[in-house]
Amino acid sequence: MGEMRQHPTFPRPSASAIDKARRLLERALGPSKVITSADGCAAYAGDESDQPPVSPDAVVLASSAADIEKAVRAASEAEVPVVPRAAGSGKSGGAVPVGGGIVIATIGMNSIKEISREEQIAVVEPGVILADLHAAVEAEGLFYPPDPNSLKMCALGGNIAENAAGPRAFKYGVTREYVLGLDAILIDGTRLRTGRRTVKGVTGYDVTALLVGSEGTLAITTEATLRLIAKPPSVMTLLCLFPDVRASGRAVSALVAAGVVPRCLELLDRPTLDAVRARGVGVDERAGAMLIIEVDGEPADCEVQAERVGEVCMDAGALDVLVAQDEAQRERLWEARRQLSPTTRAMARYKISEDVVVPRDKIPALLDEVAEISAATGVRMLTYGHAGDGNLHVNLLWNDPDLVPQVETALSRLFRAVIGMRGTLSGEHGIGTSKADFLALEQSPELIAIERKIKALFDPKGLLNPHKIFPRRTLEAAERGERDGGAERAPGFPTHVVAPSHGAC
Ligand code: MLT
Ligand code: ZN
């Protein structure tokens, strides 16, 4: 979706480098673990972002850390890029092999190696599906809070690479706060063990924290030690309807100011509710905005919190506050929320879902800005998301490819407005290729230079997941829609590759 955007072009490896890489991979891993056919490679070309799919030149089906080590050694020798991939459900292009090369698929490494009640930790491989981990730890009375809405399809390796979050991050925080330690492999085959198994520890630099959220550009995770907490004994879910988004924004600020800490505080604006109604879901016609609020704790405590939430919302102008009566109603409500991404995707030929964050008192201002941008550019926009964190998914939808320049204008106005509000470009999806050209809006040249040096330290030849995070075009060139304008060559930027050959597989 959204493939009509003017993405920059990326160089690919030479035909001889690809041949060499395939030979070395097949020799090291055996042909059963290496895919080189065009059809086979095509299945690893895209993710859930607007980045157009690009077929890799080979795919390694890793079933162990040893496989990954062999694969990166072969790639390094042939000087061919490597793109790690778990479930491929990312939303910023992180798993798309934009410069070709070798995809290392870790989805086959899906064992939950340990769940310890005594230590409250789990040890997992990168291909474990998040919903499977939730089920396994909850069966032990434990809880792993991060819950991106794609939890039934996303895998821990991708969650760690992108520092994924989800609705429960409001109370419990993001993936990084639950990763105690990592086993990871560098592009030259070096194996690193970072962090610890203990809940406390401050030895040396926090390399674990650096690797979490590094979008697969520094190392490939082969095992993660995760912190668990006790499963909250009781949960209550409330649906609060508001006449307009301003009133719901007031409620979010009032809840935060009142010190009420629901575990989820999700907002749906009027265009999103209209989209939900158009799919045949009955939503009170008076409602112009909705909050889904969930509290947890001891049953009596939940009652008190829910009552307080209801009072604060009514004071802020809610039309109604409804409480899910049983687990089945709760699940139906969340399923509808989880379906927002696919529902909105089905509404237009092209879609981009952003994940900007603003200070929570700026939510109404952001929604006003979105309405203005939509009116000025003619691009349909709707917003929903994790209002408790100020993290909102602004969706841009369009059918007509000729609207692309307006889409680019809308995106750049959105990002500039968010930064003007002292917000940030990404709350959970990562920068990837989708927002790389806008990095300089938020970060200073000095900071980006340090980040490039870190990248170069881990990956001197720029072979591991190249073209992600760092801009390929200057901000101005990207905003003018030039595909290659202002391309940079800086430490960490691959220089070994030749011009595009587009000879995938
Ligand atoms: C969500 O919150 O549903 C996901 O982050 C995906 C999205 O809608 O962009
Ligand atoms: Zn989200």
Side-chain angles (χ1 to χ4, degrees):
M1 286 292 220
E3 60 267 34
M4 300 306 295
R5 269 182 78 201
Q6 288 297 304
H7 291 271
T9 51
F10 300 102
R12 291 187 74 117
S14 66
S16 64
I18 294 166
D19 282 350
K20 181 172 178 185
R22 288 175 173 172
R23 259 197 331 273
L24 290 172
L25 288 173
E26 284 178 358
R27 196 186 305 151
L29 290 144
S32 67
K33 288 188 173 176
V34 183
I35 301 174
T36 52
S37 69
D39 283 354
C41 287
Y44 297 82
D47 66 2
E48 292 292 316
S49 70
D50 68 303
Q51 174 64 52
V54 179
S55 270
D57 300 298
V59 177
V60 170
L61 305 174
S63 56
S64 66
D67 286 348
I68 297 178
E69 184 184 331
K70 286 176 194 163
V72 294
R73 286 191 191 283
S76 290
E77 194 181 328
E79 302 213 340
V80 164
V82 164
V83 178
R85 175 188 179 99
S89 62
K91 305 209 74 145
S92 58
V96 180
V98 289
I102 302 159
V103 163
I104 299 185
T106 59
I107 197 71
M109 296 170 66
N110 57 4
S111 136
I112 299 177
K113 292 181 148 179
E114 185 184 348
I115 295 176
S116 164
R117 263 203 240 191
E118 294 70 29
E119 289 189 72
Q120 299 207 326
I121 59 165
V123 180
V124 298
E125 289 189 320
V128 171
I129 297 294
L130 180 60
D132 294 341
L133 177 68
H134 282 174
V137 302
E138 286 175 33
E140 299 291 331
L142 296 166
F143 193 52
Y144 178 72
D147 66 333
N149 280 319
S150 53
L151 58 92
K152 289 181 187 159
M153 63 182 290
C154 65
L156 265 301
N159 287 185
I160 290 166
E162 302 300 330
N163 193 13
R168 300 197 296 229
F170 179 46
K171 178 167 180 179
Y172 291 108
V174 300
T175 298
R176 183 178 284 124
E177 286 153 69
Y178 296 88
V179 182
L180 294 172
L182 291 171
D183 282 7
I185 295 187
L186 306 186
I187 188 69
D188 65 358
T190 303
R191 294 204 191 195
L192 280 191
R193 170 161 286 193
T194 74
R196 54 189 200 273
R197 270 175 75 97
T198 54
V199 285
K200 200 171 181 192
V202 294
T203 307
Y205 291 136
D206 194 346
V207 178
T208 310
L210 174 63
L211 295 187
V212 179
S214 62
E215 306 193 22
T217 62
L218 299 181
I220 304 176
T221 300
T222 56
E223 187 179 291
T225 303
L226 305 174
R227 179 169 75 90
L228 306 174
I229 59 175
K231 185 179 172 197
S234 174
V235 182
M236 278 177 78
T237 308
L238 297 91
L239 190 71
C240 308
L241 302 174
F242 293 86
D244 53 51
V245 87
R246 290 216 148 256
S248 66
R250 271 200 307 275
V252 172
S253 299
L255 285 164
V256 172
V260 191
V261 188
R263 73 176 187 183
C264 310
L265 182 35
E266 296 282 303
L267 178 140
L268 283 68
D269 75 350
R270 186 187 294 276
T272 306
L273 288 184
D274 287 342
V276 171
R277 289 183 181 111
R279 303 280 292 182
V281 179
V283 179
D284 189 330
E285 282 304 324
R286 296 170 304 155
M290 180 194 281
L291 293 180
I292 301 173
I293 303 179
E294 188 159 271
V295 296
D296 66 3
E298 292 298 334
D301 187 35
C302 279
E303 296 283 349
V304 174
Q305 290 185 70
E307 214 160 291
R308 189 80 190 103
V309 165
E311 281 164 14
V312 173
C313 287
M314 291 311 284
D315 285 351
L319 298 166
D320 212 348
V321 176
L322 310 163
V323 181
Q325 294 304 310
D326 52 32
E327 188 53 32
Q329 272 192 3
R330 265 197 71 230
E331 195 35 50
R332 271 207 301 281
L333 188 58
W334 279 112
E335 198 42 38
R337 165 64 184 90
R338 283 185 208 117
Q339 285 304 316
L340 281 180
S341 182
T343 299
T344 49
R345 168 157 288 202
M347 282 167 48
R349 202 163 151 209
Y350 305 112
K351 168 186 139 164
I352 296 174
S353 172
E354 290 304 339
D355 69 319
V356 294
V357 192
V358 292
R360 288 163 296 197
D361 64 342
K362 296 285 188 301
I363 288 174
L366 176 70
L367 292 165
D368 285 349
E369 184 72 29
V370 169
E372 264 174 45
I373 296 173
S374 178
T377 57
V379 179
R380 185 173 183 188
M381 293 168 83
L382 53 82
T383 304
Y384 60 85
H386 321 298
D389 299 315
N391 179 196
L392 291 174
H393 298 304
V394 179
N395 282 252
L396 291 79
L397 305 167
W398 74 104
N399 290 311
D400 179 359
D402 289 342
L403 211 59
V404 166
Q406 287 89 316
V407 171
E408 300 283 2
T409 304
L411 270 182
S412 126
R413 272 189 65 174
L414 172 70
F415 292 149
R416 286 185 180 276
V418 164
I419 298 303
M421 292 175 199
R422 305 176 81 172
T424 184
L425 294 179
S426 176
E428 54 180 19
H429 293 170
I431 295 297
T433 51
S434 303
K435 289 183 280 281
D437 292 327
F438 292 93
L439 190 68
L441 257 187
E442 181 171 338
Q443 298 192 337
S444 67
E446 294 77 10
L447 181 56
I448 296 174
I450 289 281
E451 290 174 301
R452 284 192 189 274
K453 282 183 190 161
I454 292 172
K455 167 69 175 161
L457 190 64
F458 277 79
D459 177 18
K461 291 183 182 166
L463 289 174
L464 187 55
N465 214 5
H467 316 298
K468 310 295 162 65
I469 302 177
F470 298 107
R472 176 151 176 83
R473 300 174 288 186
T474 62
L475 182 57
E476 294 70 27
E479 287 183 317
R480 284 194 301 268
E482 291 168 19
R483 293 179 81 90
D484 294 300
E488 290 181 61
R489 288 288 181 275
F493 197 93
T495 49
H496 63 287
V497 281
V498 299
S501 70
H502 299 293
C505 286

